[in-house]
Every structure is written in C-alpha cells, then in structure tokens.
Amino acid sequence: MKLTKKGHACVRVEKDGRVLVIDPGGFSEPDAAAGADVLLVTHEHADHFDEGRLRAALEARPEAELWTLRAVADQISAAFPGRVHTVGDGDAFTAAGFDIEVHGELHAVIHPEIPRITNVGYVVDGRVFHPGDALTVPGRPVDTLLVPVQAPWNKLSEVVDYVREVRPRRAYDIHDGLLSEVAHPVYQRMLGPQGRPGLGGTEHARLTPGESVTL
C-alpha cells in the first residue's frame, strides 16, 4: 500500500492498481481527486470538501464512487445517482478492494459559540486512520495515524496526548496547510523521537505534498 500526501488534509492511498483519496479539499492540489476509484470525505468544511473537484473526479471516472456523511452527500448526490453513499459512525464497507470502517460523529469544538457539525474518520484496511477534524480514538489498533497537527480547534498538548492514546506505530502529519515553512521544524522538534514532549514511542514524520511512503 502506498500513501501519498496531497496537501493539507488530503491523502491518496494506492493498492493493487486501485486508488482511494480522502478529503480533496480547497487547500490541496487541484488534481488531488483525479483518478480516484474511491473518494472519502470526512466533513463539509471547504478545506476538506471541494465540490468542484469531487464532481470533476466523478465525471471523469464513471466507476468512481463517493462515501461521506449526509451533510456532504446531500450537496452532490443528485448529480450522481447510485454513486454517492451516506455513512456514519460504526459503518463498515468494501470499495474497490479497500476495507473501510467509519469512526466518529462530531467535529472538534472550535469555540462554544460555533455550532458543531458532523465529522467522521476512516480506517482503511485496518491500518491507516484519518480522523478528519476531530481527535477521535478509533477503538481499535491502527498501525498508521494521520494526525491533525494544527487547526483553529486544537493545540499541541492535545495532539500529543491524542497520539499517545491511539498508540499507532507511526504518525504522519495532516492538517498543516496553515503552517508556514518556519513552523514545520518547530513542530517536528517537539513531536520527533528526541523531542519534548514527544509521542511516547510512536514514529513521527512529516510528508511534503507529493511525497509518498510504502506502508
């Protein structure tokens, strides 16, 4: 399985010639969703859900399908009958050879005055977990955690404690589109293997957009 960072919160997973893309939003590359067999969206915020990019991907590949929560599905399903599927916490399904579990229900709190929206995370093939905009603990072991390192709704201490609670073997940064280049070394120093506070033994790395790893 190959994992490629596609900018901000978007990742591309490839296996046996099939392609799965999670959260090709407005902060990721314009072609982030291109060529996908399976599209997953965690919630409706624009940095995770770009309707134009999803429509282009679905139009280009008639066999491609989208799984997401109702708030997103309602905006796009009419144009692609039978190809947009609504999911929620506890669901499990297989798509294009990928086994997917759905975990979580709500977006993290941004501020008490801002209503919380729905948010789901996805475990892919029992190995990789993308939580969307929440620090959801999946309730099952995962080898690789995609960890939202920076957002208006989190702080570093929460990120550290989250990774320590999930206890993956490795963690890769997502949700880093608002960080400048000078910020990345600061985060790497604090989250890295020799860093303080550190992640309690989890291997941590940052992938630059377009960079891939084999899992």
Side-chain angles (χ1 to χ4, degrees), residues 44-90:
E44 63 195 278
H45 284 163
D47 56 327
H48 298 255
F49 164 51
D50 185 295
E51 183 175 348
R53 293 179 187 183
L54 288 177
R55 285 180 177 272
L58 291 167
E59 289 168 355
R61 289 180 66 85
E63 68 273 27
E65 298 184 61
L66 167 66
W67 281 261
T68 186
L69 39 68
R70 184 169 301 281
V72 172
D74 284 350
Q75 298 183 55
I76 198 170
S77 59
F80 304 97
R83 299 171 61 195
V84 178
H85 312 279
T86 302
V87 295
D89 182 47

Short mmCIF file of all heavy atoms in Angstrom, two decimals, residues 44-90:
data_model
loop_
_atom_site.label_atom_id
_atom_site.label_comp_id
_atom_site.label_asym_id
_atom_site.label_seq_id
_atom_site.Cartn_x
_atom_site.Cartn_y
_atom_site.Cartn_z
N GLU A 44 -17.91 18.74 5.89
CA GLU A 44 -18.27 19.71 4.87
C GLU A 44 -17.40 20.95 4.79
O GLU A 44 -17.59 21.78 3.89
CB GLU A 44 -19.73 20.16 5.09
CG GLU A 44 -19.94 20.89 6.41
CD GLU A 44 -21.40 21.01 6.78
OE1 GLU A 44 -22.08 21.92 6.26
OE2 GLU A 44 -21.87 20.18 7.58
N HIS A 45 -16.45 21.16 5.67
CA HIS A 45 -15.62 22.36 5.60
C HIS A 45 -14.81 22.38 4.31
O HIS A 45 -14.34 21.35 3.83
CB HIS A 45 -14.70 22.45 6.82
CG HIS A 45 -15.40 22.89 8.06
ND1 HIS A 45 -14.88 22.72 9.32
CD2 HIS A 45 -16.60 23.51 8.24
CE1 HIS A 45 -15.71 23.20 10.22
NE2 HIS A 45 -16.76 23.69 9.60
N ALA A 46 -14.61 23.59 3.78
CA ALA A 46 -14.05 23.74 2.44
C ALA A 46 -12.63 23.21 2.31
O ALA A 46 -12.20 22.86 1.20
CB ALA A 46 -14.10 25.20 2.03
N ASP A 47 -11.87 23.16 3.39
CA ASP A 47 -10.51 22.63 3.27
C ASP A 47 -10.49 21.11 3.20
O ASP A 47 -9.43 20.50 2.97
CB ASP A 47 -9.61 23.13 4.41
CG ASP A 47 -10.15 22.82 5.79
OD1 ASP A 47 -11.39 22.81 5.97
OD2 ASP A 47 -9.34 22.60 6.71
N HIS A 48 -11.67 20.47 3.34
CA HIS A 48 -11.80 19.02 3.22
C HIS A 48 -12.74 18.63 2.07
O HIS A 48 -12.60 17.55 1.51
CB HIS A 48 -12.33 18.42 4.52
CG HIS A 48 -11.42 18.62 5.68
ND1 HIS A 48 -10.65 17.61 6.21
CD2 HIS A 48 -11.14 19.73 6.42
CE1 HIS A 48 -9.95 18.07 7.23
NE2 HIS A 48 -10.23 19.37 7.37
N PHE A 49 -13.69 19.49 1.77
CA PHE A 49 -14.71 19.20 0.76
C PHE A 49 -14.73 20.31 -0.27
O PHE A 49 -15.14 21.44 0.02
CB PHE A 49 -16.07 19.06 1.45
CG PHE A 49 -17.26 19.13 0.52
CD1 PHE A 49 -17.32 18.34 -0.61
CD2 PHE A 49 -18.33 19.97 0.79
CE1 PHE A 49 -18.42 18.40 -1.48
CE2 PHE A 49 -19.44 20.04 -0.05
CZ PHE A 49 -19.48 19.24 -1.18
N ASP A 50 -14.26 20.00 -1.47
CA ASP A 50 -14.35 20.92 -2.60
C ASP A 50 -15.29 20.28 -3.63
O ASP A 50 -14.92 19.31 -4.29
CB ASP A 50 -12.96 21.15 -3.20
CG ASP A 50 -12.96 22.19 -4.31
OD1 ASP A 50 -13.59 21.93 -5.36
OD2 ASP A 50 -12.35 23.26 -4.12
N GLU A 51 -16.47 20.83 -3.74
CA GLU A 51 -17.49 20.22 -4.60
C GLU A 51 -17.03 20.13 -6.05
O GLU A 51 -17.26 19.11 -6.72
CB GLU A 51 -18.80 21.00 -4.51
CG GLU A 51 -19.92 20.37 -5.31
CD GLU A 51 -21.25 21.08 -5.12
OE1 GLU A 51 -21.36 21.92 -4.19
OE2 GLU A 51 -22.18 20.79 -5.90
N GLY A 52 -16.38 21.16 -6.55
CA GLY A 52 -15.94 21.15 -7.94
C GLY A 52 -14.95 20.03 -8.23
O GLY A 52 -15.03 19.38 -9.27
N ARG A 53 -14.02 19.81 -7.30
CA ARG A 53 -13.03 18.76 -7.51
C ARG A 53 -13.67 17.37 -7.45
O ARG A 53 -13.30 16.48 -8.22
CB ARG A 53 -11.93 18.89 -6.47
CG ARG A 53 -11.12 20.16 -6.65
CD ARG A 53 -10.04 20.33 -5.61
NE ARG A 53 -9.42 21.64 -5.77
CZ ARG A 53 -8.41 22.09 -5.05
NH1 ARG A 53 -7.88 21.32 -4.12
NH2 ARG A 53 -7.91 23.28 -5.26
N LEU A 54 -14.62 17.20 -6.55
CA LEU A 54 -15.30 15.91 -6.47
C LEU A 54 -16.12 15.65 -7.72
O LEU A 54 -16.11 14.54 -8.28
CB LEU A 54 -16.20 15.86 -5.24
CG LEU A 54 -15.49 15.74 -3.89
CD1 LEU A 54 -16.53 15.76 -2.77
CD2 LEU A 54 -14.67 14.46 -3.81
N ARG A 55 -16.85 16.67 -8.18
CA ARG A 55 -17.64 16.50 -9.40
C ARG A 55 -16.75 16.16 -10.59
O ARG A 55 -17.07 15.27 -11.39
CB ARG A 55 -18.43 17.78 -9.69
CG ARG A 55 -19.64 17.97 -8.78
CD ARG A 55 -20.37 19.25 -9.11
NE ARG A 55 -21.57 19.41 -8.29
CZ ARG A 55 -22.76 18.94 -8.61
NH1 ARG A 55 -22.93 18.28 -9.76
NH2 ARG A 55 -23.79 19.12 -7.81
N ALA A 56 -15.62 16.82 -10.71
CA ALA A 56 -14.71 16.55 -11.82
C ALA A 56 -14.19 15.12 -11.77
O ALA A 56 -14.10 14.44 -12.81
CB ALA A 56 -13.55 17.54 -11.80
N ALA A 57 -13.86 14.64 -10.57
CA ALA A 57 -13.34 13.28 -10.43
C ALA A 57 -14.41 12.25 -10.76
O ALA A 57 -14.14 11.24 -11.42
CB ALA A 57 -12.82 13.07 -9.02
N LEU A 58 -15.64 12.48 -10.31
CA LEU A 58 -16.72 11.55 -10.58
C LEU A 58 -17.14 11.57 -12.05
O LEU A 58 -17.51 10.53 -12.62
CB LEU A 58 -17.91 11.88 -9.68
CG LEU A 58 -17.71 11.59 -8.18
CD1 LEU A 58 -18.82 12.24 -7.36
CD2 LEU A 58 -17.66 10.09 -7.91
N GLU A 59 -17.08 12.71 -12.67
CA GLU A 59 -17.43 12.81 -14.09
C GLU A 59 -16.36 12.14 -14.96
O GLU A 59 -16.67 11.54 -15.99
CB GLU A 59 -17.60 14.27 -14.48
CG GLU A 59 -18.87 14.89 -13.91
CD GLU A 59 -18.89 16.41 -14.04
OE1 GLU A 59 -17.87 16.99 -14.49
OE2 GLU A 59 -19.91 17.03 -13.67
N ALA A 60 -15.10 12.25 -14.55
CA ALA A 60 -14.01 11.69 -15.35
C ALA A 60 -13.95 10.17 -15.29
O ALA A 60 -13.48 9.53 -16.23
CB ALA A 60 -12.68 12.29 -14.90
N ARG A 61 -14.42 9.60 -14.17
CA ARG A 61 -14.37 8.14 -14.00
C ARG A 61 -15.76 7.66 -13.60
O ARG A 61 -16.14 7.73 -12.43
CB ARG A 61 -13.36 7.77 -12.91
CG ARG A 61 -11.92 7.98 -13.34
CD ARG A 61 -10.94 7.60 -12.24
NE ARG A 61 -10.95 6.17 -11.95
CZ ARG A 61 -10.24 5.26 -12.63
NH1 ARG A 61 -9.47 5.64 -13.63
NH2 ARG A 61 -10.29 3.98 -12.29
N PRO A 62 -16.54 7.16 -14.54
CA PRO A 62 -17.92 6.73 -14.25
C PRO A 62 -18.00 5.63 -13.20
O PRO A 62 -19.03 5.45 -12.58
CB PRO A 62 -18.44 6.25 -15.60
CG PRO A 62 -17.60 6.96 -16.60
CD PRO A 62 -16.25 7.09 -15.98
N GLU A 63 -16.91 4.89 -12.99
CA GLU A 63 -16.91 3.82 -11.99
C GLU A 63 -16.55 4.32 -10.60
O GLU A 63 -16.69 3.59 -9.61
CB GLU A 63 -15.95 2.71 -12.40
CG GLU A 63 -14.48 3.09 -12.36
CD GLU A 63 -13.98 3.73 -13.65
OE1 GLU A 63 -14.79 4.34 -14.36
OE2 GLU A 63 -12.77 3.62 -13.92
N ALA A 64 -16.09 5.56 -10.47
CA ALA A 64 -15.70 6.10 -9.17
C ALA A 64 -16.94 6.36 -8.31
O ALA A 64 -18.01 6.71 -8.81
CB ALA A 64 -14.92 7.40 -9.36
N GLU A 65 -16.77 6.19 -6.99
CA GLU A 65 -17.87 6.41 -6.06
C GLU A 65 -17.38 7.18 -4.84
O GLU A 65 -16.18 7.17 -4.52
CB GLU A 65 -18.49 5.07 -5.62
CG GLU A 65 -19.09 4.29 -6.78
CD GLU A 65 -19.78 3.02 -6.34
OE1 GLU A 65 -20.75 3.10 -5.57
OE2 GLU A 65 -19.32 1.94 -6.76
N LEU A 66 -18.32 7.84 -4.18
CA LEU A 66 -18.02 8.69 -3.03
C LEU A 66 -18.78 8.18 -1.81
O LEU A 66 -19.97 7.88 -1.88
CB LEU A 66 -18.45 10.14 -3.33
CG LEU A 66 -18.52 11.12 -2.16
CD1 LEU A 66 -17.15 11.39 -1.58
CD2 LEU A 66 -19.18 12.43 -2.62
N TRP A 67 -18.06 8.11 -0.68
CA TRP A 67 -18.66 7.80 0.61
C TRP A 67 -18.41 8.97 1.55
O TRP A 67 -17.28 9.44 1.68
CB TRP A 67 -18.06 6.53 1.21
CG TRP A 67 -18.59 5.26 0.63
CD1 TRP A 67 -19.56 4.45 1.16
CD2 TRP A 67 -18.19 4.64 -0.60
NE1 TRP A 67 -19.78 3.38 0.32
CE2 TRP A 67 -18.96 3.46 -0.76
CE3 TRP A 67 -17.26 4.97 -1.60
CZ2 TRP A 67 -18.82 2.61 -1.85
CZ3 TRP A 67 -17.12 4.14 -2.70
CH2 TRP A 67 -17.90 2.98 -2.80
N THR A 68 -19.47 9.42 2.22
CA THR A 68 -19.33 10.59 3.07
C THR A 68 -20.54 10.70 3.98
O THR A 68 -21.47 9.89 3.93
CB THR A 68 -19.17 11.86 2.21
OG1 THR A 68 -18.89 12.99 3.07
CG2 THR A 68 -20.41 12.15 1.39
N LEU A 69 -20.54 11.70 4.84
CA LEU A 69 -21.68 11.91 5.73
C LEU A 69 -22.78 12.69 5.01
O LEU A 69 -22.57 13.22 3.92
CB LEU A 69 -21.24 12.60 7.02
CG LEU A 69 -20.18 13.71 6.95
CD1 LEU A 69 -20.68 14.93 6.26
CD2 LEU A 69 -19.65 14.00 8.34
N ARG A 70 -23.94 12.75 5.62
CA ARG A 70 -25.11 13.28 4.94
C ARG A 70 -24.95 14.74 4.51
O ARG A 70 -25.41 15.14 3.42
CB ARG A 70 -26.35 13.14 5.84
CG ARG A 70 -27.64 13.59 5.16
CD ARG A 70 -28.86 13.19 5.95
NE ARG A 70 -28.92 11.75 6.12
CZ ARG A 70 -29.34 10.91 5.17
NH1 ARG A 70 -29.72 11.37 3.99
NH2 ARG A 70 -29.38 9.61 5.42
N ALA A 71 -24.30 15.56 5.32
CA ALA A 71 -24.18 16.99 5.00
C ALA A 71 -23.47 17.21 3.67
O ALA A 71 -23.77 18.17 2.95
CB ALA A 71 -23.44 17.71 6.12
N VAL A 72 -22.51 16.34 3.35
CA VAL A 72 -21.83 16.43 2.06
C VAL A 72 -22.62 15.72 0.98
O VAL A 72 -22.79 16.23 -0.13
CB VAL A 72 -20.40 15.85 2.16
CG1 VAL A 72 -19.75 15.76 0.79
CG2 VAL A 72 -19.55 16.70 3.10
N ALA A 73 -23.11 14.53 1.27
CA ALA A 73 -23.84 13.73 0.27
C ALA A 73 -25.03 14.50 -0.29
O ALA A 73 -25.30 14.43 -1.50
CB ALA A 73 -24.29 12.41 0.88
N ASP A 74 -25.73 15.24 0.55
CA ASP A 74 -26.91 15.97 0.10
C ASP A 74 -26.57 17.04 -0.94
O ASP A 74 -27.43 17.45 -1.72
CB ASP A 74 -27.61 16.62 1.28
CG ASP A 74 -28.39 15.61 2.12
OD1 ASP A 74 -28.54 14.46 1.68
OD2 ASP A 74 -28.83 15.98 3.23
N GLN A 75 -25.33 17.49 -0.95
CA GLN A 75 -24.94 18.55 -1.88
C GLN A 75 -24.53 18.03 -3.25
O GLN A 75 -24.46 18.81 -4.21
CB GLN A 75 -23.77 19.36 -1.29
CG GLN A 75 -24.09 20.06 0.01
CD GLN A 75 -22.94 20.91 0.52
OE1 GLN A 75 -22.43 21.77 -0.21
NE2 GLN A 75 -22.52 20.68 1.75
N ILE A 76 -24.29 16.74 -3.37
CA ILE A 76 -23.71 16.24 -4.62
C ILE A 76 -24.40 14.99 -5.16
O ILE A 76 -24.24 14.63 -6.32
CB ILE A 76 -22.20 15.98 -4.41
CG1 ILE A 76 -21.47 15.89 -5.74
CG2 ILE A 76 -21.95 14.77 -3.53
CD1 ILE A 76 -19.96 15.89 -5.61
N SER A 77 -25.22 14.32 -4.34
CA SER A 77 -25.76 13.01 -4.73
C SER A 77 -26.71 13.07 -5.92
O SER A 77 -26.77 12.13 -6.72
CB SER A 77 -26.46 12.35 -3.54
OG SER A 77 -27.51 13.17 -3.06
N ALA A 78 -27.45 14.15 -6.07
CA ALA A 78 -28.44 14.21 -7.15
C ALA A 78 -27.80 14.10 -8.52
O ALA A 78 -28.39 13.56 -9.46
CB ALA A 78 -29.23 15.51 -7.05
N ALA A 79 -26.58 14.59 -8.66
CA ALA A 79 -25.91 14.56 -9.95
C ALA A 79 -25.30 13.20 -10.29
O ALA A 79 -24.96 12.95 -11.45
CB ALA A 79 -24.82 15.64 -9.99
N PHE A 80 -25.17 12.33 -9.27
CA PHE A 80 -24.51 11.03 -9.47
C PHE A 80 -25.31 9.93 -8.78
O PHE A 80 -24.88 9.35 -7.79
CB PHE A 80 -23.08 11.08 -8.92
CG PHE A 80 -22.24 12.19 -9.50
CD1 PHE A 80 -22.09 13.39 -8.83
CD2 PHE A 80 -21.64 12.02 -10.74
CE1 PHE A 80 -21.32 14.42 -9.37
CE2 PHE A 80 -20.87 13.04 -11.29
CZ PHE A 80 -20.72 14.24 -10.61
N PRO A 81 -26.49 9.63 -9.31
CA PRO A 81 -27.38 8.65 -8.66
C PRO A 81 -26.71 7.30 -8.51
O PRO A 81 -26.09 6.78 -9.45
CB PRO A 81 -28.59 8.59 -9.61
CG PRO A 81 -28.13 9.20 -10.88
CD PRO A 81 -27.08 10.18 -10.54
N GLY A 82 -26.80 6.77 -7.30
CA GLY A 82 -26.25 5.45 -7.01
C GLY A 82 -24.76 5.43 -6.75
O GLY A 82 -24.21 4.37 -6.42
N ARG A 83 -24.10 6.57 -6.85
CA ARG A 83 -22.65 6.60 -6.70
C ARG A 83 -22.18 7.37 -5.47
O ARG A 83 -20.98 7.40 -5.18
CB ARG A 83 -22.01 7.21 -7.95
CG ARG A 83 -22.30 6.41 -9.22
CD ARG A 83 -21.84 7.16 -10.45
NE ARG A 83 -20.40 7.40 -10.42
CZ ARG A 83 -19.79 8.27 -11.22
NH1 ARG A 83 -20.48 8.99 -12.10
NH2 ARG A 83 -18.48 8.43 -11.15
N VAL A 84 -23.11 7.99 -4.75
CA VAL A 84 -22.76 8.74 -3.54
C VAL A 84 -23.46 8.06 -2.36
O VAL A 84 -24.68 7.93 -2.34
CB VAL A 84 -23.20 10.22 -3.65
CG1 VAL A 84 -22.88 10.96 -2.35
CG2 VAL A 84 -22.53 10.89 -4.84
N HIS A 85 -22.67 7.63 -1.39
CA HIS A 85 -23.17 6.82 -0.28
C HIS A 85 -23.01 7.55 1.05
O HIS A 85 -21.94 8.11 1.33
CB HIS A 85 -22.42 5.49 -0.24
CG HIS A 85 -22.32 4.81 -1.57
ND1 HIS A 85 -23.34 4.06 -2.11
CD2 HIS A 85 -21.32 4.81 -2.51
CE1 HIS A 85 -22.98 3.60 -3.30
NE2 HIS A 85 -21.75 4.04 -3.56
N THR A 86 -24.05 7.53 1.85
CA THR A 86 -24.03 8.19 3.16
C THR A 86 -23.62 7.19 4.23
O THR A 86 -24.17 6.09 4.30
CB THR A 86 -25.41 8.77 3.49
OG1 THR A 86 -25.79 9.70 2.47
CG2 THR A 86 -25.39 9.48 4.83
N VAL A 87 -22.66 7.58 5.06
CA VAL A 87 -22.15 6.70 6.11
C VAL A 87 -22.12 7.44 7.44
O VAL A 87 -22.21 8.67 7.50
CB VAL A 87 -20.74 6.18 5.78
CG1 VAL A 87 -20.76 5.30 4.54
CG2 VAL A 87 -19.74 7.33 5.60
N GLY A 88 -21.99 6.66 8.52
CA GLY A 88 -21.90 7.23 9.85
C GLY A 88 -21.11 6.31 10.76
O GLY A 88 -20.68 5.21 10.37
N ASP A 89 -20.92 6.75 11.98
CA ASP A 89 -20.13 6.02 12.96
C ASP A 89 -20.59 4.57 13.08
O ASP A 89 -21.78 4.29 13.21
CB ASP A 89 -20.25 6.71 14.32
CG ASP A 89 -19.42 6.04 15.39
OD1 ASP A 89 -18.25 5.75 15.14
OD2 ASP A 89 -19.97 5.81 16.50
N GLY A 90 -19.62 3.64 13.02
CA GLY A 90 -19.93 2.22 13.15
C GLY A 90 -20.13 1.49 11.84
O GLY A 90 -20.17 0.26 11.83
#
